[in-house]
């Protein structure tokens, strides 16, 4: 990776960067002090991946590495490529790669997902993503440093199409998104994937799901979708995190798709 365009650590520190402990300190992630910072969605996305997988994996829109770096720790048999359009976040992700010793099996590419080369077809065994959630005009303008993380710059249809494009036949698709967009996601993947599984994510027991994690396999025959019971973030409204979320946030524990 050429050093020229990447921000060095001194400049990043001057502009306000924090070193954060993920997975209970097993992984270091460097993030902007202001602007978008990886949270529960990133933690859940990395926990949704199967640690037994091997081969090549890609994350679309990896940001500073809040999901990518924990994923590399959990999936030790895979090589990873993170794609990010923001040069500062990509530089922070690269710093995380070096700090965690993942350089032999991880690279960060400065890349707009909407302009991926066609030659990347059928390249990866796994592609996962926490894409920007909102279409233009649907919410008030996000705060400084959060625009690309929250607002679609590539339509969801094209984002999902690119994910499926780069996957090998039978490759695994994994996405976390707003529950209100589930119908749109299923409509976009149902004719190109099989073994579709949906895990709802609720804030607390009895609440409506705010997020869904969707898994599928490219090119398999379409069949019945599995709708899992789902998980809760908190034990009760305004309460403590559940034991599952504590384990996921503070260790290399993953989600159970069984």
């Amino acid at each position: 990776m050429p050093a020229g365009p990447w921000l060095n650590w001194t400049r990043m520190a001057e502009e306000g960067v924090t070193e954060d402990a993920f997975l209970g300190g097993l992984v270091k992630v460097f993030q902007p002090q202001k602007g978008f910072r990886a949270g529960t969605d990133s933690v859940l996305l990395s926990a949704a991946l199967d640690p037994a997988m091997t081969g090549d994996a890609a994350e679309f829109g990896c940001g500073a590495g809040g999901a990518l770096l924990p994923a590399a720790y959990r999936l030790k048999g895979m090589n990873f490529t993170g794609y990010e359009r923001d040069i500062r976040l990509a530089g922070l992700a690269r710093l995380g790669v070096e700090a965690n010793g993942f350089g032999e099996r991880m690279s960060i590419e400065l890349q707009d997902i909407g302009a991926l080369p066609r030659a990347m077809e059928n390249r990866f065994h796994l592609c996962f993503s926490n894409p920007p959630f909102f279409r233009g005009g649907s919410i008030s303008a996000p705060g400084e440093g959060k625009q690309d993380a929250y607002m679609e710059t590539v339509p969801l249809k094209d984002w999902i199409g690119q994910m499926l494009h780069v996957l090998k036949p039978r490759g695994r698709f994994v996405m976390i998104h707003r529950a209100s967009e589930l119908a749109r996601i299923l409509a976009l993947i149902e004719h190109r994937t099989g073994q579709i599984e949906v895990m709802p994510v609720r804030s607390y027991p009895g609440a409506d799901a705010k997020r869904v994690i969707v898994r599928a396999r490219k090119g398999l025959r379409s069949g019945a979708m599995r709708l899992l019971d789902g998980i809760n973030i908190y034990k009760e409204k305004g309460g403590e995190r559940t034991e599952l979320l504590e384990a996921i946030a503070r260790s290399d524990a993953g989600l159970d798709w069984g």
Side-chain angles (χ1 to χ4, degrees), residues 74-114:
R74 295 187 64 249
L75 280 67
K76 293 180 170 60
M78 300 207 81
N79 299 312
F80 289 83
T81 304
Y83 293 97
E84 174 56 48
R85 61 176 283 176
D86 186 300
I87 190 170
R88 184 169 189 238
L89 293 180
L92 290 172
R94 184 189 184 207
L95 183 65
V97 172
E98 296 170 351
N100 290 286
F102 295 152
E104 291 187 359
R105 58 188 185 93
M106 180 180 286
S107 64
I108 306 299
E109 301 291 337
L110 195 62
Q111 177 67 59
D112 186 332
I113 300 306

Side-chain angles (χ1 to χ4, degrees), residues 1 6-9 11-13 15-19 28-34 36-37 62-66 68-69 84 86-100 108:
M1 186 180 301
W6 299 93
L7 298 177
N8 60 45
W9 165 244
R11 182 177 172 190
M12 286 188 288
E15 294 183 355
V17 169
T18 62
E19 177 182 331
K28 298 176 182 178
V29 179
F30 298 90
Q31 303 188 89
Q33 194 167 24
K34 296 181 179 180
F36 177 77
R37 292 173 59 81
C62 69
L68 183 68
L69 297 169
E84 174 56 48
D86 186 300
I87 190 170
R88 184 169 189 238
L89 293 180
L92 290 172
R94 184 189 184 207
L95 183 65
V97 172
E98 296 170 351
N100 290 286
I108 306 299

Side-chain angles (χ1 to χ4, degrees), residues 43-50 74 174 213 215 254-255 257:
V43 170
L44 289 173
L45 179 60
S46 63
L49 308 178
D50 181 358
R74 295 187 64 249
V174 184
I213 305 172
R215 298 201 318 176
L255 295 174
W257 291 86

Side-chain angles (χ1 to χ4, degrees), residues 48-187:
L49 308 178
D50 181 358
M53 287 194 71
T54 59
D56 297 311
E59 185 186 4
F60 280 14
C62 69
L68 183 68
L69 297 169
Y73 185 91
R74 295 187 64 249
L75 280 67
K76 293 180 170 60
M78 300 207 81
N79 299 312
F80 289 83
T81 304
Y83 293 97
E84 174 56 48
R85 61 176 283 176
D86 186 300
I87 190 170
R88 184 169 189 238
L89 293 180
L92 290 172
R94 184 189 184 207
L95 183 65
V97 172
E98 296 170 351
N100 290 286
F102 295 152
E104 291 187 359
R105 58 188 185 93
M106 180 180 286
S107 64
I108 306 299
E109 301 291 337
L110 195 62
Q111 177 67 59
D112 186 332
I113 300 306
L116 287 174
R118 297 296 299 175
M120 287 178 59
E121 185 176 13
N122 299 336
R123 177 174 171 182
F124 294 101
H125 300 89
L126 166 68
C127 188
F128 58 103
S129 186
N130 174 20
F133 283 173
F134 300 101
R135 285 170 275 186
S138 62
I139 62 171
S140 300
E144 182 182 353
K146 298 182 179 181
Q147 181 74 20
D148 286 351
Y150 283 92
M151 306 302 299
E152 288 186 0
T153 55
V154 176
L156 183 61
K157 176 181 178 181
D158 297 334
W159 192 286
I160 288 176
Q162 294 284 43
M163 290 180 70
L164 295 175
H165 176 75
V166 304
L167 279 173
K168 294 177 179 289
R170 303 181 66 87
R172 174 77 72 183
F173 168 99
V174 184
M175 173 177 283
I176 187 168
H177 211 289
R178 292 189 299 150
S180 59
E181 295 287 7
L182 178 59
R184 190 159 63 123
I185 293 170
L186 294 178

